[in-house]
Amino acid sequence: MSEKILVIGANGQIGTELVTALRGINGAENVIACDINDPAYAIRNSGPFELANVLDKDNLHHIFEKHRPTQVYLLAAILSALGEQKPKMAWDLNMTGLLNVMDFAVEFKVSKVFWPSSIAVFGPHSPQHNTPQYCVMDPNTVYGFSKLAGERWCEYYFNKYGVDVRSLRYPGLIGWRANPGGGTTDYAVHIFHEAIKKGQYQSFLSAQTALPMMYMDDAIRATIELMAAPAEKIKIRSSYNLAGISFTPEMLANEITKHLPGFKMSYAESDPRQAIADSWPKSIDDSDAQRDWGWKMEYDLAGMTEDMLVNLKKLYS
Ligand code: SER
């Protein structure tokens, strides 16, 4: 039987790339991109699209009824920095959106659900280096505790209703095809665009702020591998740690300078996103993902930087 896949939040940084990858695997007509806004040209023209607001239960029910999905990817969310400006809205979207989709997953007997969590589930009292899968978690952003509560709900729907839900705690994601919006790790994407366009960039995080990051190609592959793994291999139904590359703004600037020797980096004197970054892990232990479903990352800092620059140069030329 062929899959019918709904990707909700298809216009975002992850959705843009995931829809393309899933259409390549499953056939464009079997992947329905859904978003609250009209899509970018590429998504609109490469397969089916539905306007969908995860908080509008009637509209969402209609979409499930019409397409009878076998898989759902719920990517619609408000990220960490924007969430601090709109805390109630972030909670509502991130939480009620998840519960609406989970209820329909039960009602329509969806075979598999993917929902992204984040390194933001950790907080100032979590171990900062090689942060383990299980430890103290005291996130202090609305985004962080909405993701932590969401993880609990995912596990609950698995245990109580048998929903085959799978999740990853994504690090900061870096890709050239789509821009991030409203996150604390966004600097690591903006820097590449500005380096090529202007030869300089002012980082809103300080030079020594290490954070876990990952190249988008690895993140998409992790998502697809997790979803393809046999159900019995998925031992964690809340969300898996996913490590990626750990680096500081200064390390990234130095790597970019190897390709663009005149590149100049400066640092903002203060920015509210610094406190968020300081509350997050510097590096992650993802040995459970490696053991359970064979996860292995491919892109290191050098490989990611080179690939970003090659592709963005083509885009801007
Ligand atoms: N990239 C996200 C953010 O910065 C973390 O999951 O909010």
Side-chain angles (χ1 to χ4, degrees):
M1 192 191 81
S2 75
E3 301 287 347
K4 260 296 174 226
I5 302 175
L6 287 187
V7 180
I8 303 171
N11 295 354
Q13 189 197 12
I14 302 170
T16 304
E17 305 227 13
L18 195 59
V19 165
T20 307
L22 290 172
R23 283 183 174 162
I25 297 167
N26 299 282
E29 69 285 3
N30 294 319
V31 180
I32 298 98
C34 309
D35 202 280
I36 195 166
N37 295 312
D38 274 325
Y41 179 84
I43 288 187
R44 162 78 81 197
N45 287 282
S46 72
F49 177 84
E50 296 277 0
L51 271 180
N53 174 356
V54 279
L55 299 179
D56 181 345
K57 246 189 143 169
D58 290 342
N59 166 248
L60 201 60
H61 192 267
H62 170 73
I63 292 171
F64 272 74
E65 212 163 31
K66 179 172 165 193
H67 295 286
R68 303 267 160 188
T70 58
Q71 290 186 27
V72 176
Y73 293 71
L74 171 58
L75 307 173
I78 290 182
L79 296 191
S80 59
L82 189 59
E84 293 310 289
Q85 288 161 28
K86 303 179 177 186
K88 298 275 171 53
M89 193 199 266
W91 175 259
D92 199 28
L93 176 68
N94 297 358
M95 209 75 301
T96 311
L98 172 63
L99 294 178
N100 287 348
V101 167
M102 286 306 222
D103 284 344
F104 293 150
V106 175
E107 182 181 336
F108 290 92
K109 301 187 172 54
V110 174
S111 312
K112 283 182 214 170
V113 176
F114 177 81
W115 175 81
S117 185
S118 161
I119 52 166
V121 292
F122 298 108
H125 294 87
S126 307
Q128 283 206 313
H129 297 274
N130 267 329
T131 307
Q133 178 71 35
Y134 299 106
C135 58
V136 169
M137 295 164 98
D138 58 345
N140 55 16
T141 62
V142 175
Y143 175 67
F145 56 77
S146 72
K147 287 291 179 187
L148 184 53
E151 288 189 4
R152 298 287 89 223
W153 276 115
C154 285
E155 193 185 274
Y156 188 83
Y157 270 78
F158 172 75
N159 286 332
K160 189 126 182 176
Y161 306 111
V163 177
D164 184 349
V165 55
R166 305 171 182 207
S167 175
L168 298 169
R169 290 174 180 155
Y170 287 130
L173 298 180
I174 299 163
W176 57 271
R177 291 181 189 85
N179 279 317
T184 300
T185 57
D186 295 9
Y187 91 86
V189 178
H190 298 157
I191 188 174
F192 284 100
H193 291 265
E194 298 298 298
I196 289 176
K197 286 193 293 190
K198 301 191 184 134
Q200 58 184 30
Y201 178 67
Q202 183 176 77
S203 169
F204 56 78
L205 296 183
S206 71
Q208 304 307 329
T209 307
L211 284 171
M213 301 278 188
M214 179 174 275
Y215 197 38
M216 189 59 90
D217 294 45
D218 271 343
I220 297 294
R221 188 169 53 80
T223 309
I224 287 170
E225 287 178 11
L226 174 75
M227 289 297 274
E232 64 274 13
K233 292 209 166 181
I234 311 300
K235 309 280 187 218
I236 293 173
R237 295 297 182 158
S238 50
S239 190
Y240 276 97
N241 272 11
L242 197 66
I245 328 161
S246 186
F247 59 79
T248 64
E250 186 175 64
M251 288 161 72
L252 181 55
N254 289 343
E255 197 57 42
I256 290 174
T257 309
K258 290 182 190 165
H259 300 268
L260 303 170
F263 176 64
K264 292 261 173 308
M265 181 81 150
S266 61
Y267 299 91
E269 268 175 28
S270 79
D271 189 285
R273 288 166 284 193
Q274 184 66 46
I276 299 177
D278 290 341
S279 76
W280 287 355
K282 300 186 185 309
S283 60
I284 298 279
D285 173 2
D286 67 2
S287 46
D288 287 275
Q290 295 177 35
R291 187 198 56 225
D292 289 356
W293 45 278
W295 167 243
K296 200 169 181 305
M297 81 156 209
E298 278 174 13
Y299 284 87
D300 60 9
L301 179 58
M304 174 200 79
T305 303
E306 189 177 344
D307 208 63
M308 279 295 282
L309 290 172
V310 166
N311 284 297
L312 284 178
K313 274 182 189 162
K314 276 190 221 150
L315 210 67
Y316 283 117
S317 67

